[in-house]
Amino acid sequence: QQQVKQSPQSLIVQKGGISIINCAYENTAFDYFPWYQQFPGKGPALLIAIRPDVSEKKEGRFTISFNKSAKQFSLHIMDSQPGDSATYFCAADRGSTLGRLYFGRGTQLTVWP
Amino acid sequence: NAGVTQTPKFQVLKTGQSMTLQCAQDMNHNSMYWYRQDPGMGLRLIYYSASEGTTDKGEVPNGYNVSRLNKREFSLRLESAAPSQTSVYFCASSSQDRLAGELFFGEGSRLTVL
């Protein structure tokens, strides 16, 4: 059973637009929600992460919005650039299992110039 | 800094052959992991090692074995490869600082089983 559900599977955005990727989870024991970015031929790398004690976290053009009651979180990329074209994975982790991340299936983002 | 290094980067096997994927990290991390990535499936945990001398099964351990050789090295072995094990394999490591929570990934090992 998939622990973290991610949508959309692919996303095409024009340069300067806003990219939005959504994730949902069921397990209320999850307490750490990172987003990873992966470029072709490379391993995933941590982009930004949030814990459930806050509803939003912003780092530059990247923002995570977190809705604890709905068990949903999303990644917003403002002013999307061609260099943002990559695959994005959301993930979730339980407090008792450090590093045992459950990943979503990924979103392939393409930003057209 | 090398970070997490995986070898080999590419490998082609015939069904039934065995092989070992090697992983080493130079960040003095306690925890190490093996994930597999398949198209449309995301990353799935095969095995992990919370500390030197311990290993545990993840979501998809069948057909694999692991060895935590020392604090730096964590290997993944396929005893009798099957076409269903065609995948990209990623090794990762993390510190046990609960506040950090970040996984550091290698660049992957691309395995094809014919």
Side-chain angles (χ1 to χ4, degrees):
Chain A
Q1 184 178 354
Q2 198 178 355
Q3 298 274 350
V4 180
K5 296 182 180 179
Q6 181 173 349
S7 63
Q9 187 173 354
S10 63
L11 182 61
I12 299 174
V13 173
Q14 206 161 20
K15 179 182 175 181
I18 302 173
S19 304
I20 301 174
I21 305 171
N22 300 299
C23 285
Y25 65 97
E26 288 297 325
N27 191 338
T28 55
F30 288 147
D31 69 348
Y32 174 66
F33 303 90
W35 286 88
Y36 280 78
Q37 180 188 55
Q38 184 181 31
F39 293 104
K42 301 294 185 181
L46 181 65
L47 182 64
I48 186 172
I50 196 168
R51 296 190 185 276
D53 52 344
V54 296
S55 60
E56 185 175 281
K57 183 173 182 180
K58 183 176 181 179
E59 291 184 1
R61 295 185 293 108
F62 301 90
T63 300
I64 300 179
S65 297
F66 184 79
N67 186 329
K68 189 173 182 179
S69 60
K71 293 184 285 186
Q72 296 175 347
F73 58 110
S74 60
L75 176 69
H76 296 237
I77 306 174
M78 310 300 288
D79 187 26
S80 298
Q81 298 296 313
D84 298 330
S85 297
T87 300
Y88 293 82
F89 294 96
C90 62
D93 177 16
R94 293 182 296 193
S96 63
T97 54
L98 175 65
R100 286 198 61 181
L101 288 176
Y102 294 90
F103 284 87
R105 293 189 175 183
T107 296
Q108 187 167 359
L109 172 66
T110 302
V111 181
W112 289 99
Chain B
N1 287 340
V4 178
T5 303
Q6 294 182 230
T7 56
K9 294 191 184 306
F10 301 93
Q11 184 71 49
V12 179
L13 291 177
K14 293 181 180 179
T15 296
Q17 288 185 318
S18 62
M19 77 157 299
T20 299
L21 300 178
Q22 307 286 355
C23 175
Q25 52 92 8
D26 63 2
M27 295 174 283
N28 200 36
H29 285 165
N30 286 314
S31 301
M32 298 185 72
Y33 313 83
W34 277 104
Y35 283 87
R36 62 177 288 174
Q37 183 177 23
D38 303 292
M41 294 297 292
L43 292 135
R44 293 180 292 171
L45 182 64
I46 304 171
Y47 270 94
Y48 71 102
S49 171
S51 61
E52 186 178 353
T54 68
T55 61
D56 284 286
K57 296 179 180 179
E59 299 172 69
V60 288
N62 291 343
Y64 305 95
N65 285 302
V66 290
S67 295
R68 183 74 183 267
L69 304 171
N70 48 55
K71 190 172 185 178
R72 290 187 64 248
E73 298 173 290
F74 189 39
S75 63
L76 178 71
R77 183 161 178 83
L78 287 70
E79 292 290 353
S80 179
S84 61
Q85 294 178 304
T86 293
S87 188
V88 181
Y89 292 86
F90 287 98
C91 178
S93 70
S94 70
S95 71
Q96 280 188 322
D97 179 353
R98 192 62 188 90
L99 296 178
E102 179 176 0
L103 290 186
F104 293 84
F105 285 87
E107 294 202 334
S109 297
R110 286 150 183 82
L111 175 66
T112 300
V113 183
L114 302 176

